Amino acid sequence: MRAAGFRRYGGPDELVLLEHPPPIPAAGEVLIRVSAAGVNPADTHLRAGHLRRFLRLRLPFVPGCDGSGTVVTLGQGVKGLTVGDAVIAMASPRQGGMYAEFAVLPADQCALAPVVGTLESAAGLPVAGVTALQALRDRARVSRGQAVLVYGASGGVGTMAVQIAVALGCEVTAVASGPNLPMLSGLGAREVLDYTDPAFPDHEGRYDVVLDAVGRLGAPLVDRFTAPGGVLVTMNPPSMLRHASWLLPWTSRRAVTVIARPRRRDLDELVRLADAGKLHVVVDRVYPLSEAADAHRRSEDGHVAGKLVLVTGSPGSPGSLGSLGSLGSLDRSAAGAAHAPVARPSAGGA
Ligand SMILES: NC(=O)c1ccc[n+]([C@@H]2O[C@H](COP(=O)([O-])OP(=O)(O)OC[C@H]3O[C@@H](n4cnc5c(N)ncnc54)[C@H](OP(=O)(O)O)[C@@H]3O)[C@@H](O)[C@H]2O)c1
């Protein structure tokens, strides 16, 4: 099978097409014919070797923490999934493996794909959606009526966080650069703020929950934004350390961090929201697997609007999503997007 991986740590050009034997599912695992894979910042950090002190990878390594596809084979004892099911799946960064035509994962890291939307867009749901859900619901414990500020609202996690907070009954303020603000209003944000506006640093807001998906919020801004008794949620460990060291001892505000865990019940919850029309994946750009290096370059420029997706099937193959005519297209109009039925490619052997 074809996969995009790296033989050594380095820049985006280290990400090349590799030929690998298809993986074989063990007991409790599922073999998935991958239709599309999401691109996440963790993939680029792994490739660059930023995490190698903490995560020892066996090279060559195929990254990819989320994606969508069709169940091909079930390992012994798998319940709740059937061969031919369209699924979404989430891997840990160490597991990776979704930048490939086939991937194996424990069944409890997979869920039936949304009926609404395409497998292409569903590939972008798991990591960003689970991170936002676990950050808001489990770590910040948001409740209906609370004021939530999402900083970095136009990225993968941010677009999910805005919609999940709205679905949980919160009043959401979204912070992003100017061109992305209309998209965020379309996703349900009540107020949108441009961080490039010179007047922005003076914004005074007392939010119950501040979710920082960028990790650049300085202490004075956190102090100005977060209400006494409020919670700051960070997802970049350095920013958590930075804020914990001054927030916890000196103020009534709490700082918590989130490390997203792949959990089937959370994937099911995201699918439920998607099928209810409350959660859309904003697709910034779609690339073929052979252009994974370009996708990493785009991710590393730090201004992805929504999600980057790699299409793993080749045109016309059973695992493909049909015409690749949309490659390179930019679809940021999530709220008004037309949703085609999920493509359910026929199952086949590896
Ligand atoms: N802990 C976990 O389990 C976990 C899980 C997933 C992700 N993460 C981390 O969470 C972060 C966000 O992930 P992601 O997938 O959402 O990334 P992403 O899709 O690449 O989003 C990046 C966003 O950052 C915004 N941005 C860039 N510079 C900014 C600035 N100076 N001020 C405000 N916003 C700025 C951009 O908005 P504009 O284009 O509008 O400027 C862009 O939308 C990453 O650091 C990632 O590693 C952690």
Side-chain angles (χ1 to χ4, degrees):
M1 68 166 188
R2 287 183 330 144
F6 50 91
R7 293 192 175 90
R8 57 182 185 196
Y9 297 112
D13 288 336
E14 297 300 335
L15 204 51
V16 292
L17 280 183
L18 306 169
E19 273 298 327
H20 268 236
I24 297 167
E29 292 183 335
V30 176
L31 176 67
I32 300 166
R33 181 191 293 276
V34 179
S35 296
V39 175
N40 291 284
D43 308 340
T44 66
H45 290 304
L46 283 177
R47 189 218 67 233
H50 296 156
L51 306 176
R52 68 183 180 209
R53 278 180 53 208
F54 315 102
L55 278 184
R56 281 196 177 276
L57 304 178
R58 192 180 314 159
L59 302 179
F61 183 77
V62 175
C65 301
D66 58 1
S68 61
T70 309
V71 175
V72 177
T73 312
L74 300 176
Q76 218 180 1
V78 171
K79 294 197 172 59
L81 291 172
T82 309
V83 170
D85 280 344
V87 290
I88 57 171
M90 176 170 167
S92 67
R94 186 196 293 274
Q95 288 171 318
M98 299 298 293
Y99 289 12
E101 290 173 318
F102 294 91
V104 152
L105 277 176
D108 60 7
Q109 294 176 223
C110 306
L112 291 176
V115 177
V116 173
T118 61
L119 280 178
E120 187 177 292
S121 61
L125 194 57
V127 168
V130 165
T131 305
L133 183 66
Q134 293 179 358
L136 290 168
R137 183 198 60 193
D138 303 341
R139 304 296 291 142
R141 301 191 178 181
V142 295
S143 52
R144 182 166 288 281
Q146 282 194 320
V148 174
L149 179 117
V150 179
Y151 189 80
S154 54
V157 175
T159 49
M160 294 289 158
V162 167
Q163 297 174 86
I164 290 169
V166 170
L168 292 172
C170 302
E171 294 186 6
V172 177
T173 296
V175 181
S177 60
N180 289 322
L181 299 185
M183 179 257 287
L184 293 164
S185 299
L187 295 179
R190 184 165 292 199
E191 183 185 23
V192 288
L193 301 172
D194 181 352
Y195 70 84
T196 67
D197 182 342
F200 173 76
D202 300 327
H203 175 78
E204 188 78 27
R206 292 295 180 184
Y207 300 96
D208 301 300
V209 173
V210 174
L211 183 149
D212 180 6
V214 185
R216 291 197 204 156
L217 269 187
L221 279 182
V222 171
D223 203 27
R224 190 170 303 147
F225 291 156
T226 316
V231 185
L232 166 72
V233 196
T234 62
M235 47 202 64
N236 323 75
S239 69
M240 171 56 184
L241 289 174
R242 201 168 67 231
H243 289 304
S245 61
W246 72 269
L247 271 177
L248 296 175
W250 309 114
T251 82
S252 62
R253 296 153 179 84
R254 282 190 305 128
V256 297
T257 193
V258 65
I259 305 285
R261 309 255 178 245
R263 277 200 298 243
R264 180 165 190 177
R265 65 173 188 276
D266 288 342
L267 294 172
D268 285 338
E269 176 64 10
L270 297 175
V271 170
R272 195 184 63 71
L273 290 170
D275 281 339
K278 295 179 177 173
L279 192 58
H280 304 276
V281 179
V282 178
V283 177
D284 178 301
R285 205 165 288 183
V286 181
Y287 298 83
L289 196 57
S290 57
E291 292 174 17
D294 286 339
H296 272 211
R297 277 185 205 97
R298 170 100 183 116
S299 176
E300 285 174 342
D301 89 10
H303 294 285
V304 175
K307 292 297 303 180
L308 300 172
V309 173
L310 297 177
V311 179
T312 53
S314 52
S317 77
S320 93
L321 291 156
S323 160
L324 294 185
S326 64
L327 291 181
S329 71
L330 199 67
D331 177 9
R332 297 177 181 187
S333 55
H339 293 285
V342 168
R344 292 181 190 274
S346 58

